[in-house]
Amino acid sequence: MTLKNQVQLITYPDSIGGNLKTLNNVLHNHFSDIFKGGVHILPPFPSSGDRGFAPLTYLEIEKEFGTWEDMKAIGENFDILVDLMVNHISMRSHYFQDFLEKGRASEYADLFITLDKLWEDGQPKQEDINKMFLRRKKPYSTFQIEETGEEETVWTTFGKTEPSEQIDLDVHSEKVKELLTEFFVNFSKNNIKIVRLDAVGYVIKKLGTSCFFVEPEIYQFLDWIKELADSLDIELLPEVHSHYSTQYKLADHGFWIYDFILPYTVLDTIMNKSSDNLYRYLNDRPEKQFTMLDCHDGVPVKPDMDDLIDTKEAREIVDICVERGSSLSLVLSDEHKSEDGFDVHQIRGTYYSLLNNDDDAYIVARAIQFFVPGIPQVYYVGLLAGENDVESVEKTGEGREINRHNFSLEEIDQSLEKEVVQRLLELIRFRNEYPAFNGEFKIKPSEKNEVCLAWEYGDKYCELFIDLSTNTTTIDYLNEFGQLVHDTI
């Protein structure tokens, strides 16, 4: 399929009004001309944890959210993007529960990575684990098999519990390939247009490596799954948090990638009132990207920004964000921290709050995002200029809940009355409709405290000018009569 070069929404299935039916109604009533690029619906599948990211199956929709018919109804008017946690599946899935009952006799046993698939004697070696990019203190979990009473230890990259809720899949297994094929066929039947390969960087486990984005094996898997997706007219979006050079390799391989560098770079631009780092970045980046400022996690720092930032300067930005109410996700492995000990993985907070709830600064941020080449995504909290949800963090103990507030219909109506939200909607409409965004991107010379970006396509031209000293945003463009319009956003 051909992706639409227009703005997409990112939302949980229950974050805008409570379920998929209500989401569809809200989209029609308020945002029919806003999210012409589509809707990324964060995991709507039955799940045992991690707010949908520990799925039991992709063949069903969680009953509390609705049905596949509700998904198809949204898909009639908006291209839908869904996640496939290609690295893992829930401990409570039918597949793993059968393994827990029967052990190696289970028909699903080969879906999982028992440690003897890595170490011949099944005993983990610490010197191998020390080289790995860890997401938990140890990358495996031990379970007791019901029928035999024996213990089985399987690979578990993610998960906060012990044993983990998220069980890694063995992508070398034909059983896993059959399962993924079944999931993709079901997506196609239900009119899913784009699939995000969540945590795809972790799928290859190879001793002596970091077990993250292991080359060339990662490309062999990606080529296989791309062939599958192409056969069903589904576009893929690999999700990889890594050094930017890794992202660029994916782009060179022909894949869409996420612009995980932009969110921090925009913060830096606004907080330091300097376009130097932004311009340096824009002069050397792939254009085939999905751009974002906020998402269900946090603003990426390490390892995404490695070699692009000075850690002392980064610490200053991080400290400002913390002063404004943000929290931090930290790198666990000493080997993957900076030499000076800088260990910030992500900054957690709503993007509006990161900018101190400053309307003008927020519009500056979105204007930069929309003028940077790529398909822009706007997270639902950012759409409604949401502020940090500290109460939800305290209630759940989950730091990421700071930017995961569920909006009632009343709260949506109230948010739409905010001036900053109306300004944002105006900006999105311009990004969706103005033809020049399908043309040539230009970085215009400007002073250090200014940003000037432009697009040209045939007789259409638009130019964004930002004065960072005052956070003033203006757009000049040629209208349908060839007249120059000067618009302050």
Side-chain angles (χ1 to χ4, degrees):
M1 66 166 290
T2 301
L3 295 180
K4 296 169 184 171
N5 182 22
Q6 294 172 305
V7 179
Q8 293 185 356
L9 172 69
I10 310 172
T11 181
Y12 284 99
D14 58 338
S15 288
I16 295 182
N19 57 50
L20 291 166
K21 273 193 172 68
T22 310
L23 169 61
N24 195 21
N25 291 336
V26 171
L27 287 170
H28 278 287
N29 293 336
H30 298 297
F31 305 117
S32 59
D33 62 339
I34 299 299
F35 297 113
K36 291 190 171 185
V39 182
H40 177 180
I41 300 177
L42 294 164
F45 314 108
S47 172
S48 60
D50 199 13
R51 191 143 184 191
F53 283 86
L56 276 65
T57 180
Y58 297 87
L59 302 177
E60 303 169 18
I61 299 298
E62 170 59 47
K63 291 178 182 177
E64 290 184 10
F65 303 150
T67 66
W68 274 114
E69 290 304 311
D70 296 324
M71 292 283 284
K72 288 172 75 173
I74 295 172
E76 287 176 9
N77 297 287
F78 303 91
D79 288 348
I80 295 179
L81 186 161
V82 297
D83 297 89
L84 178 69
M85 275 55 77
V86 69
N87 178 72
H88 52 265
I89 201 159
S90 173
M91 177 186 78
R92 302 187 188 280
S93 66
H94 162 69
Y95 317 102
F96 194 69
Q97 287 297 306
D98 194 78
F99 174 74
L100 284 182
E101 180 184 348
K102 303 171 186 173
R104 301 292 176 107
S106 168
E107 63 179 300
Y108 303 114
D110 199 43
L111 293 178
F112 312 110
I113 305 172
T114 50
L115 293 197
D116 56 295
K117 288 186 175 182
L118 289 168
W119 293 281
E120 193 172 338
D121 61 1
Q123 297 301 311
K125 306 293 188 294
Q126 193 60 44
E127 58 266 31
D128 292 321
I129 293 174
N130 288 342
K131 296 176 182 177
M132 299 174 185
F133 184 72
L134 298 178
R135 297 304 302 270
R136 59 201 306 265
K137 289 183 178 179
K138 59 178 183 178
Y140 51 84
S141 297
T142 301
F143 299 87
Q144 188 172 47
I145 303 304
E146 185 179 325
E147 288 188 357
T148 65
E150 296 177 351
E151 287 190 339
E152 287 281 8
T153 302
V154 297
W155 205 260
T156 52
T157 299
F158 297 94
K160 293 187 175 181
T161 60
E162 188 58 53
S164 174
E165 280 280 343
Q166 293 157 296
I167 312 298
D168 284 38
L169 296 169
D170 181 0
V171 296
H172 296 298
S173 165
E174 287 303 316
K175 283 281 188 183
V176 168
K177 291 180 178 179
E178 291 171 10
L179 189 64
L180 294 177
T181 300
E182 184 180 13
F183 293 156
F184 265 87
V185 168
N186 186 60
F187 288 156
S188 178
K189 287 179 180 177
N190 287 287
N191 205 24
I192 300 301
K193 299 297 186 184
I194 314 164
V195 172
R196 185 176 85 144
L197 299 178
D198 187 82
V200 69
Y202 297 91
V203 298
I204 304 298
K205 284 76 177 175
K206 185 177 180 181
L207 298 185
T209 75
S210 67
C211 290
F212 181 83
F213 209 87
V214 178
E215 301 173 274
E217 290 86 347
I218 184 72
Y219 299 119
Q220 295 165 6
F221 173 74
L222 284 169
D223 289 344
W224 174 82
I225 203 165
K226 187 176 188 303
E227 184 178 351
L228 169 62
D230 287 347
S231 71
L232 297 167
D233 199 26
I234 291 174
E235 190 68 61
L236 291 182
L237 175 59
E239 184 257 4
V240 176
H241 281 289
S242 182
H243 189 277
Y244 71 93
S245 61
T246 301
Q247 292 272 40
Y248 288 9
K249 288 176 184 177
L250 272 176
D252 288 342
H253 214 71
F255 286 96
W256 284 93
I257 61 173
Y258 265 115
D259 192 342
F260 288 136
I261 298 169
L262 192 63
Y264 177 91
T265 304
V266 169
L267 282 181
D268 169 79
T269 300
I270 295 171
M271 290 181 179
N272 290 319
K273 299 190 179 301
S274 169
S275 57
D276 286 354
N277 290 334
L278 176 66
Y279 276 22
R280 192 176 300 114
Y281 170 54
L282 294 182
N283 274 307
D284 182 30
R285 72 184 281 279
E287 292 195 0
K288 192 176 177 180
Q289 301 201 51
F290 279 61
T291 68
M292 41 83 78
L293 295 180
D294 46 1
C295 66
H296 64 286
D297 283 333
V299 170
V301 185
K302 285 188 67 65
D304 306 79
M305 302 300 298
D306 284 350
D307 296 329
L308 293 175
I309 55 174
D310 178 287
T311 52
K312 290 183 179 178
E313 294 175 1
R315 174 57 67 187
E316 292 176 4
I317 288 179
V318 167
D319 287 347
I320 291 171
C321 292
V322 171
E323 287 173 12
R324 293 174 177 176
S326 298
S327 62
L328 305 175
S329 168
L330 304 178
V331 174
L332 291 178
S333 174
D334 289 337
E335 188 173 328
H336 297 281
K337 297 176 182 177
S338 298
E339 289 183 7
D340 63 357
F342 184 74
D343 61 352
V344 179
H345 175 52
Q346 293 179 343
I347 306 169
R348 294 171 174 169
T350 78
Y351 213 84
Y352 186 62
S353 290
L354 293 178
L355 294 172
N356 212 27
N357 303 337
D358 182 323
D359 290 6
D360 292 338
Y362 189 60
I363 293 301
V364 165
R366 289 298 178 187
I368 293 172
Q369 180 196 3
F370 295 160
F371 267 74
V372 168
I375 295 176
Q377 291 187 323
V378 176
Y379 185 56
Y380 74 99
V381 179
L383 168 70
L384 301 172
E387 300 178 21
N388 289 341
D389 190 344
V390 178
E391 183 181 337
S392 184
V393 174
E394 293 173 348
K395 182 179 178 182
T396 63
E398 169 57 72
R400 292 176 296 180
E401 286 294 315
I402 197 169
N403 192 25
R404 296 180 175 182
H405 180 74
N406 289 336
F407 285 81
S408 66
L409 292 176
E410 183 181 2
E411 287 175 316
I412 293 168
D413 289 339
Q414 291 170 351
S415 297
L416 287 169
E417 293 177 5
K418 296 178 185 176
E419 181 185 351
V420 66
V421 173
Q422 288 301 315
R423 291 167 67 187
L424 175 58
L425 296 180
E426 178 186 350
L427 194 57
I428 292 175
R429 290 187 183 99
F430 182 80
R431 175 61 179 80
N432 281 340
E433 303 300 336
Y434 197 71
F437 289 103
N438 294 308
E440 182 183 359
F441 173 66
K442 298 179 179 181
I443 303 169
K444 309 285 284 188
S446 65
E447 299 297 323
K448 180 177 180 177
N449 66 334
E450 298 171 345
V451 175
C452 191
L453 309 175
W455 285 87
E456 185 172 11
Y457 184 63
D459 60 353
K460 293 293 185 288
Y461 178 85
C462 62
E463 182 175 295
L464 170 70
F465 180 80
I466 293 168
D467 184 340
L468 294 168
S469 62
T470 59
N471 286 333
T472 304
T473 302
T474 57
I475 296 176
D476 291 340
Y477 65 96
L478 296 175
N479 65 15
E480 62 268 33
F481 307 109
Q483 300 165 327
L484 182 65
V485 177
H486 182 75
D487 194 1
T488 301
I489 303 299

